[in-house]
Amino acid sequence: MARRAPLGIIVAVSLFAAVGHATQSRQVSSDARGQTASIDKVLADAVGRGDVPGVVAMAVDRRGIIYQGAFGAADVSNGRPLTTDAIFRIASMTKPVTTVAAMQLLEQGRFSLEDPAEKYLPELAHLSVFETFDPKTGAYTVRPARKKVTIRHLLTHTSGLGYNFTSPIVRDFKPRAGEEYPAGPLLFEPGDQWVYGTGVDWMGRLVESISGKTLEEYFRERIFGPLAMSDTFYNVPDGKQRRLVAVHRRRADGTFERDPNQPPLSVTRFNGGGGLASTAVDYVHFLQMFLNSGTWNGARILSADTVRIMGANHIGTVGVPALKTALPERSSDFTFVNDGRDKWGLGFLITTDQQAGKRSAGSLSWGGINNTYFWVDPARGIAGVILMQFLPFADSKALAVYDSFERGVYQLAGR
C-alpha cells in the first residue's frame, strides 16, 4: 500500500510481504500494525527533520519480510520520490558477496584459508612494512614483511592493507622515484592488528583467477541467480537506471545536495570490495540465506558448516577498534563498533555483546560508504537492511536512524 506522510514525504510500505516464493502469508495483529506505524514515523520524521535525504528499510525473519518502507527523495535535485524497489550503490556491502563466492571455492577445495595469497596473486609476494612515516614530510622507511599475507588475512582486514580514508599513512604515502609497490607497504605485520582496508578487493581478483570468470559472471551464476537477486549489478542496465538513487553529500549547514561526482554507470573491471548496486529486497534475500544456514527458497548457496565458520571469530585476540577518519569529507569516525571488543568473521563484523533492545551477541553486520547498513541475528532469526545514499559514511544522524530502525524491528518481532 502507499500513503502520503507529513511534509509530503512519499512512503511505500508493505507488511509481511513475500520474499521470492519462500514466504508464507501471516496474520497481522493490531500490535504489529501499531509497531509498523511506529517504525514508519521514526523514518519519516528523520526525513522530515532533514536528518537524511531518504531511506529504504526492510527487515526479515526466516520466512519472509516483516517490515518494509520507503521515505524521502531518491534525488534531492528534482524531488524524485524513493520507492522500495529503488536501486542503491551499496559499496562495501559487496564484500560479503565476494566472501560468499570465495567460500564456495573453498568448499570445492580450490584453496585453503592458510594459503599464502601470493600463491594466487603474485603482486602480494615480497611485501614491505612501514617502519617509520613522517606525516609532515612524507619521508618513510620500510622493511621486508616477516610474515606472508594469507587468504584469511585478506578476508579479515588483518593483512596490513588499509584504505586512504582509514589510514593517514595510506592517504599521504607517495613512493619515491624508482620505487614501485603493487600492494602496500603494509601498515603492520599480517595478523597483528585490524584495520579496514583493501583485502577483499584483492579477494575479488583471487575469485576471478581461480574461477576463470569475471566477478559479474560468477556472482550472476552462483549467487544472484539462485537468490533471485534480479536487481543487483555492477553495471545497472539502461532500463533500470531510472530507479538508481543519486549519491548525495551533506553540506556544512547540514542540508543535502546531489554529489557532483556520481559513481560511473559502466565499469569493465569488477572490484570485490565494492561497486555493486542493489535493492533492499535483493539484499534481504542474501541475508535470509544466512538465517537459513546457507539456503534460500530451496537453493543451497553454502553449506551449513560454512555459514557457521563465516560467523566465527577469525582474528583471535585481536579486536576491531573504532577508527578515526583520515578523510572527513568521505567518512566520519567509525564510532559504531564496540571499540576493541567486536571481532571479525569471514565477511562480517561480529557483535560480541548483547545489545539491549537490539541484536544478539554473535550477530553479523557491516555497511557501505554511502550509509547503507545491514545486520544478521542468527540467534533470534532476524535480519535487516537500511539504505541511505549520502556521504560522509558513519554520519551520526544516519547511525541514529539505523539504531531506531533496529530497535523498532525487535519490538515489532516481539523478540
Side-chain angles (χ1 to χ4, degrees):
M1 56 186 167
R3 60 186 183 273
R4 188 164 298 277
L7 304 176
I9 299 164
I10 295 296
V11 180
V13 173
S14 177
L15 181 64
F16 296 119
V19 180
H21 302 290
T23 301
Q24 303 297 317
S25 61
R26 281 171 272 179
Q27 295 295 318
V28 182
S29 69
S30 59
D31 286 348
R33 285 192 293 270
Q35 189 54 43
T36 296
S38 178
I39 299 174
D40 288 350
K41 185 177 188 305
V42 164
L43 300 179
D45 285 353
V47 173
R49 290 191 303 269
D51 291 350
V52 298
V55 57
V56 173
M58 197 167 292
V60 294
D61 62 14
R62 291 188 169 93
R63 294 185 293 160
I65 293 174
I66 58 175
Y67 176 85
Q68 60 176 325
F71 305 82
D75 188 337
V76 298
S77 68
N78 58 27
R80 175 166 55 94
L82 269 176
T83 54
T84 52
D85 66 349
I87 299 174
F88 289 76
R89 307 288 189 164
I90 62 170
S92 285
M93 284 168 58
T94 303
K95 287 180 170 69
V97 179
T98 301
T99 304
V100 166
M103 297 307 288
Q104 289 176 332
L105 296 172
L106 181 72
E107 287 182 346
Q108 298 169 24
R110 307 292 291 275
F111 63 82
S112 161
L113 291 176
E114 302 311 321
D115 281 349
E118 66 186 46
K119 180 177 178 180
Y120 311 95
L121 300 167
E123 301 94 330
L124 299 183
H126 310 299
L127 294 174
S128 298
V129 179
F130 283 108
E131 279 194 316
T132 63
F133 186 87
D134 187 326
K136 293 181 179 178
T137 66
Y140 63 90
T141 60
V142 296
R143 58 167 175 78
R146 291 189 292 269
K147 295 188 284 187
K148 294 183 182 297
V149 169
T150 66
I151 290 176
R152 193 191 305 273
H153 292 144
L154 293 179
L155 288 170
T156 57
H157 301 287
T158 57
S159 64
L161 296 165
Y163 278 126
N164 62 357
F165 67 94
T166 60
S167 166
I169 295 176
V170 175
R171 179 195 65 197
D172 297 337
F173 172 63
K174 294 179 175 58
R176 290 182 284 259
E179 293 186 1
E180 292 186 10
Y181 297 92
L186 305 179
L187 297 169
F188 46 79
E189 283 289 336
D192 283 3
Q193 299 179 45
W194 185 96
V195 69
Y196 192 51
T198 59
V200 185
D201 302 44
W202 286 97
M203 281 302 303
R205 296 173 63 174
L206 186 145
V207 168
E208 290 187 328
S209 175
I210 291 178
S211 71
K213 301 177 184 293
T214 68
L215 287 183
E216 187 169 56
E217 293 168 339
Y218 187 96
F219 290 169
R220 188 70 47 203
E221 177 183 324
R222 297 296 308 277
I223 301 172
F224 298 159
L227 292 177
M229 295 173 69
S230 57
D231 284 327
T232 304
F233 309 93
Y234 280 103
N235 294 315
V236 178
D238 292 346
K240 298 191 177 190
Q241 288 178 11
R242 62 181 175 77
R243 289 159 51 200
L244 267 174
V245 181
V247 176
H248 300 90
R249 182 172 291 278
R250 191 186 288 282
R251 298 187 183 103
D253 64 1
T255 61
F256 293 96
E257 62 182 353
R258 181 187 173 100
D259 194 319
N261 300 311
Q262 295 292 305
L265 292 175
S266 178
V267 297
T268 56
R269 296 189 65 180
F270 309 110
N271 183 0
L276 283 175
S278 188
T279 62
V281 71
D282 272 19
Y283 211 82
V284 296
H285 290 188
F286 182 72
L287 301 182
Q288 200 176 33
M289 178 267 292
F290 284 97
L291 290 178
N292 289 311
S293 300
T295 65
W296 184 86
N297 197 23
R300 180 157 291 284
I301 308 302
L302 295 168
S303 73
D305 192 50
T306 295
V307 170
R308 180 189 61 77
I309 290 168
M310 291 179 71
N313 172 21
H314 283 264
I315 61 174
T317 59
V318 172
V320 175
L323 296 178
K324 285 286 188 183
T325 182
L327 290 174
E329 69 277 12
R330 188 157 176 77
S331 175
S332 300
D333 296 342
F334 283 51
T335 55
F336 56 94
V337 300
N338 189 352
D339 190 7
R341 287 190 53 76
D342 287 344
K343 298 294 182 178
W344 199 268
L346 299 177
F348 307 102
L349 178 76
I350 302 172
T351 299
T352 300
D353 301 323
Q354 168 72 47
Q355 304 297 296
K358 297 170 57 178
R359 68 191 67 172
S360 308
S363 292
L364 314 174
S365 64
W366 201 237
I369 200 157
N370 299 311
N371 285 293
T372 61
Y373 303 93
F374 72 88
W375 83 94
V376 180
D377 184 342
R380 283 187 274 178
I382 296 289
V385 62
I386 183 164
L387 305 176
M388 296 161 278
Q389 201 77 162
F390 69 93
L391 295 169
F393 176 62
D395 175 87
S396 61
K397 292 182 177 179
L399 293 177
V401 175
Y402 179 16
D403 178 84
S404 296
F405 169 61
E406 184 179 341
R407 292 180 186 280
V409 166
Y410 282 94
Q411 291 175 4
L412 173 62
R415 304 180 193 187

